[in-house]
Amino acid sequence: MKAKSFSNLDRDKIVSTIQNTTFDLIVIGGGITGAGILLDAASRGLKTALVEKDDFASGTSSKSTKLIHGGLRYLKQFDFWLVREVGTERAVVHNLAPHLVIPEKMLLPLVEKGSYGKWLTSIGLKVYDILAQVEDDDQRKMLDKKEALALEPLLPKKILKGAGYYAEYRTDDARLTLENIKTALQYNATAINYTKVDDFLYEDKLVKGVCVTDAINGKKYNIRSKYVINATGPWVDDVRLMNNSKKGDSLHLTKGIHLVFPHEKLPVKQSIYFDVPDGRMIFAIPRGKITYVGTTDTNYTEDKNEVFPDIADALYLIEAVNHMFPEINLTLNDIESSWAGLRPLIHEDGKSPSELSRKDEIFVSSTGLVSIAGGKLTGYRKMAERAVDKIAKRIEEDSKQKIKKCTTDSISLCGGPWKNYTEVTQYKKILEKQLASDGFTKSDINYLVSIYGKQCGEILEYYRTFLDNDPWSKMIKAEFTFTAKYELLQNPLDFFIRRTGRLYFNIESVKTYLPVILEEYQRLFNATDETINNYRIEINNLIKKHSIVSN
């Protein structure tokens, strides 16, 4: 599916369209939930717009563990409904974007005095297979100690008893969010970033739109709509307060951090889900040249717009890794990058952060504002369906108009369509042959296809127009051009963080190609030298913050 033009170079035109249209639905929040709602509503025929106060996926939806997973640990909480829903959703989302939601085998080590015993793990994984309707090839296997060590020699030989082996999926959460938004544009949806909702418009005491401020130029304007959904994640209660409707259940924010290490420092051969002495479960996931580890789960009451890992968070994860892998001796100085995000969970008295349910909840105010909170990345599509069903029911009651049922389980996302994952691997081989003479490796191609899918074809067209001697400089400029023209990129931070994930997974490339991207940004956006210098300072400061300990 070819992406539609979607550029902040045309921002005035987008704003004009938004100002002069009365929408059926406005979605506040450009994370994965809002993006899913935008696509669901637009594909049902509703005239829908989305507004986001920062960049798309700039909150929780670029800071998860980046797994489409079934929530195995929720079996311990007897949350069978959640396991069933998110477990079955894994295969659905994989089919919608197999280049972006990639099969990943997971190893669950069984150790002496660990959280999981062999018998209970075997039963639990079997129940997981049944609830999640896992296909035969991916169903769980129980491994003895020798088999587990063959798969991962770094496991602790003295206390290892065996392992469970099962299937999950890895993704890029920010890209998944963005491709949902871009796909919604194919159904005449409208979306804009850097647009903050300041208040609501009301008619007869019912919400009928929003008052916004354009963060780029400071201009204020109104957007009219018949219905509004608040899908702002950690900011859901803030928006409910604006509407004077924060009643009943409220959010409980918890912080989760992830650390990124060079793969040679933590050379695990595959993804591992292991427990630590305090009973929490941690992921170690190899990804190209790095391995990332997470996550923590601690209460958070500070600034929601400034969330970073701290030394205590990092030391906790490092100690957990060194405990599970005795041959590894990670230190703070080994951290290459990191990220921290907030989980917008529903508060339950007396429960610790790890005990809080990951179920979503919908609130409807007396003014008609629909708010949705909670949930998991994996379940975003079903969350969106439930939210849009609420709106559809009200439309049918208010105007007797019949609204279609949800069909997003069969709508391929931008970057596709694909018949299956085999086709993705074949496409990678084609690109490998095309780019081998320029020095690009299999790892380089994996990066490009897992980010852009078939949109790599458009990127290669730009690549061939640049005359640089360095092919990697040409390629990153081609990526930048594509994201500026088709992904509403507004600044270089959008590119390095949300469009490509380079700040997290290839931080050295940010340092190397920052001058190249700043030069291209200045050329495309006609930015002043002062603006460019400010971005240079901001990105260098972010590099230091995400490195935790500046090397």
Side-chain angles (χ1 to χ4, degrees), residues 7 16 25 54 144 190 194 251 259 296 303 309 313 353 406 418 466 533 541:
S7 176
S16 177
L25 175 65
D54 294 309
D144 61 24
T190 305
Y194 296 99
L251 292 192
L259 304 180
T296 55
D303 186 351
D313 296 326
C406 173
W418 308 90
F466 292 111
N533 192 49
N541 285 338

Side-chain angles (χ1 to χ4, degrees), residues 414-457:
C414 279
W418 308 90
K419 293 175 185 174
N420 47 44
Y421 187 64
T422 301
E423 190 181 359
V424 178
T425 59
Q426 291 169 344
Y427 183 75
K428 288 179 182 178
K429 289 176 182 176
I430 293 169
L431 290 192
E432 284 174 36
K433 288 181 180 178
Q434 288 181 9
L435 293 169
S437 61
D438 287 355
F440 290 100
T441 65
K442 185 176 181 179
S443 176
D444 297 322
I445 303 306
N446 281 337
Y447 157 77
L448 285 171
V449 176
S450 68
I451 294 277
Y452 304 106
K454 291 181 180 178
Q455 297 166 123
C456 286

Side-chain angles (χ1 to χ4, degrees), residues 225-284:
S225 175
K226 297 171 186 174
Y227 305 94
V228 179
I229 291 180
N230 165 23
T232 54
W235 292 268
V236 158
D237 279 355
D238 295 355
V239 175
R240 291 169 74 200
L241 278 171
M242 191 189 300
N243 179 243
N244 296 313
S245 61
K246 187 179 174 295
K247 298 169 185 174
D249 290 342
S250 60
L251 292 192
H252 184 135
L253 302 183
T254 73
K255 183 173 80 166
I257 81 147
H258 295 78
L259 304 180
V260 178
F261 300 95
H263 188 254
E264 60 266 23
K265 292 287 185 178
L266 183 53
V268 291
K269 293 186 173 182
Q270 55 154 71
S271 295
I272 301 174
Y273 186 41
F274 61 95
D275 58 347
V276 292
D278 69 2
R280 275 199 53 73
M281 298 298 294
I282 303 292
F283 288 101

